[in-house]
Amino acid sequence: MPIVRERLRAFKARESAAYQNSRPLSAARASRENGFFGGVPQHWMLDWPMPFPLVIEHASGTSLTDLDGHVLIDLCLGDTGAMFGHNPEPVAKAVHAQAMRGLTSMLPSADVEEVGALLQARFGMPFWQITLTASDANRFALRAARAITNRPKILVFDGCYHGAVDETAVNLVDGLTVAKPSLWGQAYDLAAVTVCVSFNDVEALTHALVQGDVACVIMEPALTNCGIVAPAPGFLTEVRRVTQATGTLLLIDETHTLSTGPGGWTRTFGLEPDIWVAGKAVAGGIPTGVWGFTEEVKRGIERVRGELPTGHSGVGTTLSGSALQMAALRACLQDVMTETNYAAMIAGAIALEDGIAAMIASTGLPWSVIRLGARLETVFAPKLPTNAEQMRASFDHELEAALHLGLLNRGFLVTPFHNMLLAGPSLSREAPAAYVAALNSILNEIL
């Protein structure tokens, strides 16, 4: 059953009017100068498909309350930043207690030993470093990889997401590595330092790595930011085999795939990276990234540090590893990222997946659904894509924007990019069915 474009556009116009009429306080905020560019603290907050930004008054668990008093079921959860729910009580208590004892000192706090042990036990790597974000963790880890191997390049997969690391913000276009259009102001040709190949393409990966100039392959176990693309059977095993055969370090970035299960995809499926990165959710919403590494990488870093002159030992940020971060990280690892919470999250995601799949079958729409633990996505294609090029071909931005706005007006906030949903641990048993009912009501107006 096809989408009727005229009905879709009329629906979008009605929903835009309904949104504006029901949110006078947010509208008033949006209409006046407040000292911020576009009225928001980050310009990408203007990318949501709504007439003006929604102003949030309160967030707790899997619900948000906006300035006009509307309560929303949150299936975005800060695009993973609040994966385990907003304001988890153990983290809130730990942050409050630490605030009374000091926030940052550029020296280790008393929580360091316990946090180190928790990171080792949860994610498997023997050595760790703390950053402010996963972007920083990836950036510093790639510097280490280049220094250790004395190789100039990195390799990424088309459609990847590794935060604000310039050299990973590339697309594969007609076989060439080119900067993403969103990377405005880029000062040099990223193809000089980055090789981009298609996900699930072992042949292209092998051809790139046998050249001997790639220090590190940085990858997500499954693509997540261009739409979810799962690894083909055996692909991740081949990535490890080829990287080891060519002396290339392997960095697994699980910032988004932490949703897979306790320990992320790496522990769930037994991956063996040289470097492992995560951010966003690991400290329950307090800005924190972590990168862990093997004994061999540790020896390489020690060698590089030993060759430096006395003084500064590398590029870093003074707020990284603060007492506040360590307290939040300890509480989140110990009391929030639990087997019980993961079980609840995954159960909620399965209920959403089943409901969406049934809706697709009943409407006859040429769509599909994919799930990674607590994270899932509706794809506007009858067959799940196997790489970013196929996923991009499925995009329907007009339809996506209309669905998102319609769902918001019906009480559900979803991630602004594509159709990703994230089920938090406190998502009610009724929420998945209510979400599917809301989606069905929208489809009834546009089909």
Side-chain angles (χ1 to χ4, degrees), residues 235-249:
F235 176 64
L236 297 178
T237 300
E238 283 298 289
V239 171
R240 180 69 283 191
R241 181 188 65 80
V242 176
T243 52
Q244 287 179 331
T246 57
T248 310
L249 294 175

Side-chain angles (χ1 to χ4, degrees), residues 283-334:
I286 297 299
T288 305
V290 298
W291 59 292
F293 42 90
T294 62
E295 173 69 38
E296 184 177 3
V297 172
K298 177 213 176 202
R299 289 198 298 267
I301 294 173
E302 288 174 335
R303 172 179 56 79
V304 171
R305 280 172 51 88
E307 295 168 355
L308 295 173
T310 302
H312 295 291
S313 60
V315 176
T317 55
T318 53
L319 293 178
S320 296
S322 71
L324 181 67
Q325 285 180 302
M326 301 306 284
L329 189 53
R330 177 177 180 173
C332 194
L333 289 169
Q334 192 169 262

Side-chain angles (χ1 to χ4, degrees), residues 338-362:
T338 63
E339 297 274 355
T340 299
N341 277 341
Y342 264 103
M345 293 160 62
I346 292 170
I350 290 172
L352 283 164
E353 179 187 29
D354 290 346
I356 293 168
M359 181 212 68
I360 291 171
S362 67

